Each structure stands twice: as C-alpha cells, then as structure tokens.
Amino acid sequence: MRMYDFLVPSVNFMGVGSIKVVGERCKILGGKKALIVTDRFLRGMEDGAVAQTVKYLQEAGIEVVFYDDVEPNPKDTNVRDGLKVYKEEKCDLIVTVGGGSSHDCGKGIGIAATHEGDLYDYAGIETLTNPLPPIVSVNTTAGTGSEVTRHCVITNTKTKIKFVIVSWRNLPLVSINDPMLMIKKPAGLTAATGMDALTHAIEAYVSKDANPVTDASAIQAIKLIANNLRQAVALGENIEARENMAYASLLAGMAFNNANLGYVHAMAHQLGGLYDMAHGVANAMLLPHVERYNLISNPKKFADIAEFMGENIDGLSVIEAGEKAIKAIFRLSTDIGIPSKLRDMGVKEEDFEYMAEMALKDGNAFSNPRKGNEKDIVKIFREAF
C-alpha cells in the first residue's frame, strides 16, 4: 500500500430523511456485520436514531451488534470494552450513532482493532500506520463535527488527561446529518454542542493555519450559528434552526479539520479530563476569554467575526470592532444558559498551573494565533474562574 492509498474522501449526507441511506451505504462499503457504537440513552429511544439505523441496516442485509456503554468524554476503558465486542462478534464495520462521544469512541475502537500497543502511544498527528475498518457516522447533535473530522479524543483514565489522535485514517467514510434525529435533544445539550461548533469555527478562522478555503467554511458556520442557535435552544422542534445548525456544525468541522484549533480546545481538554466537564460547556466558558487574549494577533479577523455575528461596527476602530466580537460571544453564551464561571463548575484554582502545563502540550495549542506561556494560560483560567 502506498502512503496515501487510505485517503478516501468521505461522503456527507445532509437534510431531512438522510438517515435512510445508511443501509445502502454500508452495503456499498462491503460491510456484513456492523458494531453499532452508541450510548444506552440513545439505544433506548423508541424510533430514535439507533432504532432507525438498525432498521435500515437490517433491510440492507447487514447484521448488527451493539456496544452501548459510551460515556461523555469517552474513556480508554470504553474503547477497550467496545473492541472486545468488535473482535468477539467478528465485525467488519463500525457504525457510530450519537454525538462526538460515540464518534470518537468508534474511531478509538477502529484504531485499537488495527494497531498494537496502548492507544495513548498513538497520541499526536499522523501516527497511525494501518487502515481502520470502515466507519459510518450517524450524527445526532450539531456541535462536535467529529463525524467529518480526523480527530479522535479519548480520556486516559489513569492520568485523567485527554489525548488526541489526529490522522486522516480516522475520517469516517460516510457521515449522515439528519436534523430529524436532533429534534428531541434537550436544550442544555443543544446549547453546549452549538457553542462547541462556534468554537470550532472561530478557532479555525483565527488559527495561524487558516487559509481562504477554511475561512469560507468558518465564516458561513459563524453566521449560521449566530442566526440559529438561540432558536434551536428555545424550541427544539424548530426544524429550520435544527437543519441550519447541522450545516453549521459540519462546516465548522470541515474548517478545523484543515485549519486546526487553538488554546480554547487545548484548555478545555484539561477541564474534560480532570473534571469530566462537558466538552461544549468547557469550550463555551473559555472561548471569550481566550479570544480576548488572541485579539491583538489579528484584530481585523475579530472585527469580521463581530460583523458575522450581526454586530454594528460602523465608525469603530478595528480593535473596538474586535472587542464587540468578544461581547457577542458572551451574550450568545449567556442567552442560551451556559454557566459563566468555572468556580460554579467545581474547578479548583490549585489545578490551574498543572492544567496550563498540559494545555501547552496539547496538539491544539500549536495553531493558536498568539504564542503564550504557562503564566498566560493560568491567567486565562483565572479570568474564566
């Protein structure tokens, strides 16, 4: 196999009713027995995403088995347990159903099934050497973008550190974003995942690795989120808002898949690892503080963000306009009920220095537009505290 033989582009299905293609697409990939990776809540929903996925897989003649113990901030133990089912049942296909936790766990199982040693050994960028089993991702939240990205984020249960395996081999071959599967999501989950998508878009837009192609995706994602997230939180049955948020999430995922992220994610991973804090909430609480720190790196881009989010910047200097972007982020987060202070989430000040040290080692830190040190990161944590 040549080095790039595995770079098969993913196929993304969007819109109402797109779940119907899951069976035929898995059949096209040659799958005969699928491991469905999900959580117990989703599996227990009558006529929910899991039930519909099973229906269309079975209609296509594909057997199904389950690993349904995925936890939020998926753990290395989840990957280990899922791998056991995959091997014992002799599966040849992985179908992830849910949000980022299910997708990341499924990717982890695929990595563990095809690579020797500890999963943690592969933390980093392009460390994988073998093709993964085909992965098909049925997405039920508008937020993580994991269904279209090369990132696999897992928590090491011994160290309580999140580690990231970034490889094009992780890319699901098929992703499905059917907004009808998102209708019943609780307001809090909608808010958290929506802010996760906004963080992806903004961090990708201001990343030092951004380019005109990633900018185009990030810009459209920011606009869609600013115009639809409040409505999706207020009324989950608002199918137009749900569909627009699904598009926004995918666009943001495509943007950061190529432009990478920054200090928000590097720091949020520490909160997720140490405190098991919901990833979207951690991102939302850190985003305005990190971007205030980043503002001087590219004031024009922050002025753009303010405009994309509907702010009037006429007559303002570039710095003043950029500051309005920070305020707009705060206001959106507050409007949809995201907590504003880390102290209210049980975070301890004595952990700041350790989290700052680990954040600067996180792979996402290297594309942040402003280079900082541990004291800078501690200060940002303290401001969010």
Side-chain angles (χ1 to χ4, degrees):
M1 176 180 289
R2 296 190 308 274
M3 182 177 179
Y4 295 112
D5 277 354
F6 62 88
L7 292 181
V8 180
S10 61
V11 180
N12 309 314
F13 291 90
M14 300 287 299
V16 173
S18 54
I19 182 61
K20 294 177 182 178
V21 307
V22 64
E24 68 182 55
R25 283 290 148 175
C26 288
K27 190 173 183 179
I28 288 170
L29 292 172
K32 293 185 170 46
K33 193 170 189 178
L35 174 68
I36 295 182
V37 179
T38 189
D39 60 56
R40 293 188 181 184
F41 176 78
L42 287 174
R43 186 180 178 185
M45 290 182 66
E46 186 177 351
D47 198 34
V50 173
Q52 292 186 54
T53 299
V54 170
K55 171 188 173 185
Y56 293 118
L57 287 175
Q58 290 178 338
E59 286 179 357
I62 296 171
E63 290 185 68
V64 299
V65 294
F66 292 92
Y67 174 68
D68 63 359
D69 278 333
V70 176
E71 300 173 73
N73 297 310
K75 316 295 189 291
D76 48 14
T77 51
N78 297 149
V79 173
R80 179 199 65 201
D81 295 343
L83 175 65
K84 183 180 179 182
V85 179
Y86 182 87
K87 286 185 171 181
E88 287 180 350
E89 295 289 342
K90 296 181 171 57
C91 299
D92 56 9
L93 176 74
I94 297 172
V95 179
T96 60
V97 184
S101 296
S102 294
H103 305 323
D104 282 0
C105 186
K107 292 174 186 179
I109 293 169
I111 295 167
T114 53
H115 291 76
E116 298 292 332
D118 193 309
L119 207 62
Y120 187 79
D121 295 338
Y122 298 96
I125 299 175
E126 297 305 339
T127 59
L128 303 182
T129 56
N130 303 318
L132 270 60
I135 298 176
V136 173
S137 292
V138 177
N139 198 38
T140 64
T141 65
T144 70
S146 183
E147 78 279 7
V148 294
T149 67
R150 58 197 176 114
H151 298 68
C152 171
V153 185
I154 304 294
T155 298
N156 184 325
T157 52
K158 294 180 180 178
T159 63
K160 294 188 177 180
I161 294 173
K162 277 191 172 187
F163 62 96
V164 187
I165 302 170
V166 183
S167 174
W168 290 105
R169 296 184 188 273
N170 283 332
L171 196 66
L173 297 183
V174 177
S175 75
I176 296 170
N177 271 283
D178 188 334
M180 294 302 295
L181 304 180
M182 305 174 187
I183 287 291
K184 296 181 180 179
K185 291 293 170 290
L189 179 60
T190 301
T193 55
M195 289 301 294
D196 190 17
L198 181 65
T199 305
H200 294 154
I202 289 177
E203 286 211 288
Y205 187 62
V206 301
S207 165
K208 70 179 185 63
D209 297 330
N211 60 60
V213 175
T214 60
D215 281 355
S217 295
I219 289 167
Q220 186 63 15
I222 294 168
K223 290 179 178 179
L224 285 168
I225 294 165
N227 291 325
N228 291 277
L229 180 53
R230 289 178 177 88
Q231 293 90 321
V233 171
L235 183 65
E237 292 78 15
N238 185 330
I239 192 61
E240 181 181 359
R242 288 289 191 188
E243 187 161 24
N244 284 332
M245 283 302 301
Y247 279 114
S249 176
L250 184 139
L251 285 165
M254 292 172 67
F256 89 78
N257 209 26
N258 293 279
N260 300 313
L261 294 164
Y263 284 168
V264 180
H265 272 76
M267 295 169 68
H269 285 165
Q270 312 318 311
L271 296 172
L274 272 183
Y275 299 101
D276 209 23
M277 188 183 299
H279 179 63
V281 172
N283 275 340
M285 297 178 77
L286 292 168
L287 180 60
H289 300 284
V290 172
E291 301 317 329
R292 180 178 287 119
Y293 172 80
N294 285 336
L295 177 58
I296 63 170
S297 68
N298 196 335
K300 176 62 171 64
K301 277 206 163 181
F302 284 97
D304 292 342
I305 292 169
E307 196 166 13
F308 302 152
M309 295 187 72
E311 297 296 309
N312 183 356
I313 61 173
D314 290 348
L316 299 180
S317 69
V318 176
I319 285 287
E320 289 171 337
E323 289 172 346
K324 291 199 77 169
I326 311 304
K327 292 178 181 178
I329 295 168
F330 261 123
R331 187 162 56 251
L332 175 57
S333 186
T334 300
D335 285 352
I336 60 176
I338 299 290
S340 61
K341 298 175 183 177
L342 290 179
R343 72 173 64 190
D344 296 334
M345 303 297 290
V347 176
K348 300 174 183 177
E349 288 186 87
E350 55 261 37
D351 290 331
F352 288 174
E353 290 187 9
Y354 173 73
M355 290 195 296
E357 176 189 354
M358 300 312 298
L360 288 174
K361 295 178 181 178
D362 188 281
N364 291 293
F366 301 104
S367 45
N368 196 72
R370 182 179 177 185
K371 186 172 177 57
N373 56 36
E374 288 183 25
K375 288 184 178 179
D376 295 326
I377 305 301
V378 167
K379 184 178 179 183
I380 297 171
F381 272 125
R382 187 162 286 117
E383 288 171 352
F385 186 70

